[in-house]
Amino acid sequence: MIDSQPIPGSPETQPSMSRLRSAFMPDNFDLTHERPVYVIGGGPGGLAVAAALREQGVRAVVLEKSDAVGASWRRHYDRLRLHTTRRKSALPGLTIPRSFGRWVARDHVVRYLETYADHHELEIVTGVEVTGVERSPDGAGWLLRATGGRELTGRAVVVATGYNHTPRVPSWPGRESYGGELLHAGEYRNAQPYAGKDVLVVGVGNTGAEIAVDLVEGGAARVRLAVRTVPHIVRRSTAGWPAQSTAILVRRLPTRLVDRAAALLCRISMPDLSAKGLPRPDTGLYTRVREGAIPVQDVGLTKAVRKGLIEPVAAVESFEEDKVVLADGSRIAPAVVIAATGYHRALEGLVGDLGVLDDRGRPLAHGRRSPKEAPGLYFTGFTNPISGMFREMAIDARRIAKALAR
């Protein structure tokens, strides 16, 4: 149930708590706790945790700052599909319909999340942004400060605000003076506005690679791809066997062994694009994964580079009016620059003073483990695992729910 009314657990709703329980709770709900578990974020991670908690008989209230669930997925570019299979991407308690296909499209992901919230009858309050989390004055729970001056007290808090939270654009020298169009990949929807234009895509992760392919197919006059670190490129599936299944099988193996096997498989299955400006990486695939760099799934990149439709160039160093200065000293003059340069987790303002983040702003504990400095505070969805983010968020959800049920 999605609601924009006063939030359960806040002072103005305490007198009617019994009515809320009868409206939302199955018989096995734990009624010994007046305070709910608050889940911050109505994306797949937050919804999965709320559903798993409900299954365990623990009341959860999802707080979502936008006006609908799955807000980040609604903003993604049109052609995006899950890079993981439908069967291995379902959240707890509801399969993804077979009619959505093996590789689920963005719009179908949004529809699935909407159906998921309804199916589990989740308590979701939209239009509320949590701005701070701290220990409650009595030390028995957590105090959340939210928009509108709200103060909410919960027995526990699950932070699920998302891996792709705040767009990150590097502070390139001269960026403000650039005369062309500069946008982050988060603002890109489709190739239609860029038909017939010279476009530079900066960043060759999965997003940058797929946007570059989309631009080629959408009629851009020229597409260049600025590469700072050469990526590992893998087939999405081989003879029907998805790359995700391989990733699940090898993730517990020694890094060196996986690096060697991946290098051999790459030489067999992927073309050498060195002559086109995209050489093979000089570090192992799994070594890079351990450092946070996920391989690029090939959805048309290698074919486009081989045909010269996408031109790899050096990394961007700075801007000079209508020119982009590259790391090799060359200057180019694209009409449009699309920065596929990632996102900030942006957790510092929310929990930065609790000592629960590392020096890169990432949670020190994840999934079922609470930070030792903050028992009862949980994080989900802040890693980018090779085995699939939806799959890992589903696993996290069940584990968090079991920990809180105890």
Side-chain angles (χ1 to χ4, degrees):
M1 179 174 293
I2 299 178
D3 191 7
S4 58
Q5 300 304 311
I7 303 169
S10 60
E12 65 268 28
T13 62
Q14 290 299 326
S16 60
M17 191 65 68
S18 60
R19 177 184 61 80
L20 288 168
R21 284 184 187 134
S22 63
F24 300 124
M25 296 186 181
D27 293 339
N28 67 329
F29 261 68
D30 181 359
L31 302 182
T32 62
H33 294 277
E34 289 292 336
R35 298 170 174 177
V37 174
Y38 281 113
V39 180
I40 307 175
L47 298 181
V49 169
L53 285 168
R54 183 180 176 84
E55 183 181 1
Q56 292 286 335
V58 177
R59 185 171 180 226
V61 177
V62 179
L63 305 176
E64 168 55 47
K65 71 176 182 179
S66 71
D67 60 359
V69 300
S72 64
W73 273 91
R74 296 174 191 274
R75 295 192 299 266
H76 285 315
Y77 49 94
D78 294 348
R79 72 173 284 153
L80 178 64
R81 291 178 177 271
L82 282 177
H83 293 156
T84 53
T85 64
R86 171 183 57 82
R87 297 182 69 177
K88 289 187 172 66
S89 301
L91 302 179
L94 186 67
T95 59
I96 300 176
R98 182 176 295 182
S99 61
F100 287 2
R102 192 181 199 193
W103 312 103
V104 184
R106 181 204 65 182
D107 288 350
H108 283 154
V109 171
V110 172
R111 189 184 307 174
Y112 171 70
L113 295 178
E114 293 172 339
T115 302
Y116 190 84
D118 290 340
H119 174 80
H120 289 290
E121 298 180 340
L122 302 181
E123 287 187 69
I124 303 171
V125 185
T126 59
V128 174
E129 181 176 7
V130 179
T131 56
V133 176
E134 60 191 72
R135 273 290 182 192
S136 60
D138 62 8
W142 291 92
L143 176 67
L144 286 68
R145 301 190 184 277
T147 50
R150 296 179 177 91
E151 292 186 354
L152 315 170
T153 305
R155 55 174 287 206
V157 175
V158 181
V159 180
T161 48
Y163 191 83
N164 296 333
H165 188 275
T166 303
R168 181 179 67 85
V169 178
S171 55
W172 290 301
R175 189 182 76 181
E176 293 77 12
S177 66
Y178 177 57
E181 181 182 357
L182 172 63
L183 67 151
H184 188 269
E187 303 173 73
Y188 178 89
R189 295 295 172 267
N190 56 59
Q192 184 176 356
Y194 312 104
K197 294 185 178 182
D198 184 339
V199 185
L200 172 68
V201 179
V202 184
V204 66
N206 277 293
T207 297
E210 194 157 353
I211 287 176
V213 172
D214 195 45
L215 289 164
V216 167
E217 294 177 354
R222 187 175 189 180
V223 179
R224 283 174 281 203
L225 187 60
V227 180
R228 182 172 298 278
T229 304
V230 179
H232 285 273
I233 304 173
V234 299
R235 294 190 183 279
R236 187 164 62 177
S237 66
T238 302
W241 179 263
Q244 180 191 13
S245 295
T246 301
I248 293 170
L249 291 174
V250 306
R251 63 182 310 211
R252 304 298 182 190
L253 296 178
T255 300
R256 184 177 298 181
L257 176 63
V258 179
D259 281 349
R260 290 177 178 175
L264 176 60
L265 182 61
C266 180
R267 285 195 295 270
I268 295 172
S269 63
M270 302 302 297
D272 185 355
L273 300 173
S274 300
K276 296 291 186 177
L278 200 62
R280 299 190 189 278
D282 56 7
T283 54
L285 182 149
Y286 208 38
T287 296
R288 293 278 292 278
V289 168
R290 296 289 192 187
E291 297 169 353
I294 298 299
V296 171
Q297 289 197 4
D298 186 15
V299 292
L301 176 65
T302 57
K303 181 179 179 180
V305 170
R306 191 168 51 200
K307 290 185 174 182
L309 301 175
I310 294 176
E311 307 168 48
V313 297
V316 171
E317 289 294 308
S318 62
F319 288 78
E320 290 180 357
E321 296 182 351
D322 62 339
K323 297 288 196 303
V324 178
V325 182
L326 303 181
D328 60 4
S330 61
R331 287 165 169 75
I332 60 177
V336 182
V337 176
I338 300 174
T341 46
Y343 293 80
H344 295 292
R345 309 292 89 81
L347 291 170
E348 290 82 359
L350 189 65
V351 296
D353 58 350
L354 298 176
V356 298
L357 305 177
D358 66 15
D359 56 2
R360 296 174 60 184
R362 301 173 302 182
L364 291 170
H366 197 269
R368 65 183 169 189
R369 294 185 299 113
S370 280
K372 62 181 181 179
E373 301 85 354
L377 180 65
Y378 298 85
F379 295 87
T380 184
F382 294 100
T383 62
N384 192 14
I386 192 173
S387 52
M389 185 173 287
F390 272 54
R391 178 181 182 273
E392 296 304 318
M393 285 190 294
I395 294 171
D396 277 353
R398 293 187 179 98
R399 291 175 173 173
I400 291 171
K402 288 180 180 178
L404 282 169
R406 288 197 296 267

